[in-house]
Amino acid sequence: MASPLAAQAGKLLRDLALRPPLLVARSQALQLTPRRWLNLQEYQSKKLMSDNGVKVQRFFVVDTANEALEAAKRLNAKEIVLKAQILAGGRGKGVFSSGLKGGVHLTKDPKVVEQLAKQMIGYNLATKQTPKEGVKVKKVMVAEALDISRETYLAILMDRSCNGPVMVGSPQGGVDIEEVAASNPELIFKEQIDIIEGIKDSQAQQMAENLGFLGPLKNQAADQIKKLYNLFLKIDATQVEVNPFGETPEGQVVCFDAKINFDDNAEFRQKDIFAMDDKSENEPIENEAARYDLKYIGLDGNIACFVNGAGLAMATCDIIFLNGGKPANFLDLGGGVKESQVYQAFKLLTSDPKVEAILVNIFGGIVNCAIIANGITKACRELELKVPLVVRLEGTNVHEAQNILKCSGLPITSAVDLEDAAKKAVASVAKK
Ligand code: GDP
Ligand code: MN
């Protein structure tokens, strides 16, 4: 049962949890686009950066074309750059549903700023990192454009394999860093940082040099790198990614883009930052799930998966694929489960019209299977479940749980193990 796909998928999930910019290989098969961690928009990240001595361009954030025009006038800059604010990267090469090409535009004319903003706000922007239909743009950043003489890449991230922070840099920035990693791995530089000692001057200098900053620019870049690291620590980030980390012809080192991810476990001490999360790009169903302490990940198949734990979710997904089916979603029930959560979980799973069968795969370690069984029977009755339900329970109190299901008189298909469960779920969909 230990298939390479399961291993790959497990790794994918772990990687996604940390979102290291170099490692995230988006799985074609899974189309996983979970948003389980706080992400801020570029303008919010840049505000944090500038508050902490990191160099960013002057900017305003607007949500109408008219405000964009006003902002452009107020900036009174030689040139203006407009940037659609969505959480995905690759905006520069994105396309709007209005037909406009490019989520990042430079212009010298405030009137053009207004016209461009009109074609951005309220339209979907699709990039390599968004779903096909794109993400609706609600805000646009209007910033003073600066000339860029060189684009480098810099990220600081928590790396599991290093048990701590790692700096990743490349003199070849601006572009898709995964491509650089694939074609020119020698142009990717990594530097592990001791979380107790903090970043050493020599490390910042070395990275600045690796990024190709020369002469007086080297000290300036090193100083920016140290400030970015200190910010990373201060705000409990799991990743700070600046691409491009650029150089201007006037000799300034500037962070032209910013992507910061945060550690959810630090929410209690980062209240101001977490309050900035507007969750507006979440699927409504994800937000609904979060209200009940459930994690929802939407996929594009037709078998709903109700599981506990990310590992079991991936194994379930894997085995459904292996048996010729496709998961519609995962709903991950955490540890301490209440019967009411099981009910809510079913309600959410069945609200997705793509769902043609439900597979419950719960391993009762901390979870008591009898509670799950009671929750399932209650949900089946109250929601008048119309799709086939296959249940595989294992672990704590499993015999009592199976009795509850059997005695319920409900059309629930029991499965002896994961393989059996997947086969039965796939068969129930195929029959339709
Ligand atoms: P992304 O495509 O979502 O990563 O958005 P970025 O903020 O990285 O912008 C994309 C590209 O636009 C950058 O790599 C730059 O080449 C260019 N760009 C962004 N801001 C400026 C600017 O102020 N001046 C110039 N000349 N180019 C910019
Ligand atoms: Mn970028």
Side-chain angles (χ1 to χ4, degrees):
M1 219 203 73
S3 76
L5 183 61
Q8 220 179 325
K11 180 179 178 307
L12 174 72
L13 211 76
R14 283 197 304 279
D15 288 349
L16 281 169
L18 289 172
R19 300 266 186 110
L22 287 175
L23 302 178
V24 175
R26 267 158 216 277
S27 158
Q28 295 300 313
L30 301 184
Q31 297 268 317
L32 279 180
T33 49
R35 226 202 112 208
R36 296 168 300 148
W37 316 101
L38 169 64
N39 289 280
L40 295 184
Q41 299 285 359
E42 178 192 7
Y43 76 92
Q44 298 171 309
S45 298
K46 282 189 169 167
K47 171 82 171 50
L48 287 173
M49 285 157 77
S50 74
D51 287 349
N52 287 274
V54 176
K55 182 120 175 71
V56 299
Q57 294 142 285
R58 292 186 295 131
F59 70 85
F60 291 105
V61 184
V62 302
D63 42 30
T64 66
N66 191 41
E67 281 171 23
L69 173 66
E70 290 309 311
K73 286 182 185 159
R74 268 167 66 196
L75 280 169
N76 192 21
K78 188 176 86 205
E79 195 171 14
I80 299 288
V81 58
L82 259 91
K83 306 179 81 175
Q85 298 295 290
I86 59 168
L87 292 174
R91 293 166 301 168
K93 291 182 182 145
V95 180
F96 288 90
S97 54
S98 62
L100 180 68
K101 291 212 172 79
V104 177
H105 277 269
L106 283 99
T107 173
K108 295 198 162 85
D109 182 351
K111 276 279 164 212
V112 177
V113 167
E114 187 181 18
Q115 285 158 18
L116 287 167
K118 250 186 210 148
Q119 298 171 74
M120 291 182 167
I121 298 167
Y123 293 99
N124 279 21
L125 174 59
T127 80
K128 256 170 93 171
Q129 293 184 12
T130 65
K132 250 191 249 108
E133 69 278 12
V135 173
K136 190 163 183 178
V137 176
K138 295 178 184 142
K139 291 188 188 308
V140 167
M141 173 190 272
V142 183
E144 92 179 304
L146 299 174
D147 291 335
I148 308 183
S149 42
R150 228 166 49 81
E151 301 193 20
T152 78
Y153 175 93
L154 180 73
I156 303 164
L157 53 124
M158 279 296 174
D159 185 63
R160 193 175 291 253
S161 59
C162 297
N163 287 319
V166 174
M167 268 193 297
V168 179
S170 174
Q172 205 142 304
V175 291
D176 193 345
I177 198 66
E178 270 112 350
E179 277 168 26
V180 180
S183 61
N184 296 83
E186 75 286 356
L187 291 181
I188 305 281
F189 297 90
K190 288 192 187 181
E191 182 82 34
Q192 212 170 317
I193 299 171
D194 185 315
I195 197 155
I196 309 289
E197 284 180 36
I199 186 167
K200 295 193 206 91
D201 283 344
S202 59
Q203 289 182 305
Q205 290 280 340
Q206 184 63 56
M207 184 51 86
E209 199 176 307
N210 288 339
L211 298 185
F213 290 103
L214 304 171
L217 277 170
K218 184 168 142 186
N219 280 336
Q220 206 191 125
D223 179 58
Q224 289 290 303
I225 291 169
K226 278 193 287 185
K227 285 181 168 144
L228 282 165
Y229 178 76
N230 292 331
L231 174 67
F232 168 86
L233 267 198
K234 179 177 158 186
I235 59 179
D236 285 305
T238 52
Q239 180 190 308
V240 171
E241 187 186 41
V242 182
N243 188 25
F245 183 59
E247 181 181 316
T248 71
E250 294 79 27
Q252 295 284 323
V253 177
V254 180
C255 296
F256 283 92
D257 193 8
K259 179 94 180 78
I260 308 183
N261 297 341
F262 296 86
D263 181 352
D264 270 1
N265 297 310
E267 183 170 357
F268 73 98
R269 60 182 182 200
Q270 300 290 353
K271 295 214 163 68
D272 292 350
I273 289 175
F274 279 77
M276 291 197 257
D277 186 10
D278 62 9
K279 297 190 170 74
S280 65
E281 280 187 38
N282 275 8
E283 295 281 334
I285 194 163
E286 287 174 20
N287 288 337
E288 189 65 14
R291 277 182 52 197
Y292 302 102
D293 259 339
L294 300 162
K295 287 202 167 113
Y296 180 93
I297 297 177
L299 301 164
D300 52 13
N302 54 4
I303 300 174
C305 302
F306 182 38
V307 299
N308 60 333
L312 205 54
M314 298 317 293
T316 306
C317 168
D318 193 19
I319 203 147
I320 289 174
F321 272 121
L322 286 176
N323 283 284
K326 265 184 133 186
N329 51 38
F330 294 135
L331 201 75
D332 182 359
L333 185 86
V337 188
K338 294 183 220 73
E339 220 179 277
S340 59
Q341 276 180 306
V342 178
Y343 173 79
Q344 290 300 339
F346 268 76
K347 215 169 142 184
L348 287 169
L349 287 175
T350 50
S351 69
D352 180 346
K354 296 197 307 292
V355 170
E356 293 177 18
I358 300 177
L359 196 170
V360 175
N361 183 25
I362 301 279
F363 185 82
I366 307 168
V367 174
N368 180 346
C369 289
I371 291 181
I372 305 284
N374 279 324
I376 292 175
T377 52
K378 183 164 180 269
C380 280
R381 290 202 179 95
E382 290 181 17
L383 298 170
E384 295 171 18
L385 199 67
K386 295 194 180 55
V387 294
L389 171 61
V390 180
V391 179
R392 180 256 179 166
L393 296 171
E394 189 55 87
T396 309
N397 241 343
V398 65
H399 296 300
E400 190 188 334
Q402 275 160 354
N403 251 337
I404 292 168
L405 295 181
K406 212 183 289 163
C407 299
S408 71
L410 292 161
I412 298 172
T413 308
S414 273
V416 290
D417 58 24
L418 183 45
E419 175 100 49
D420 186 36
K423 287 209 161 85
K424 285 175 173 160
V426 173
S428 76
V429 171
K431 256 185 250 154
K432 294 187 94 185

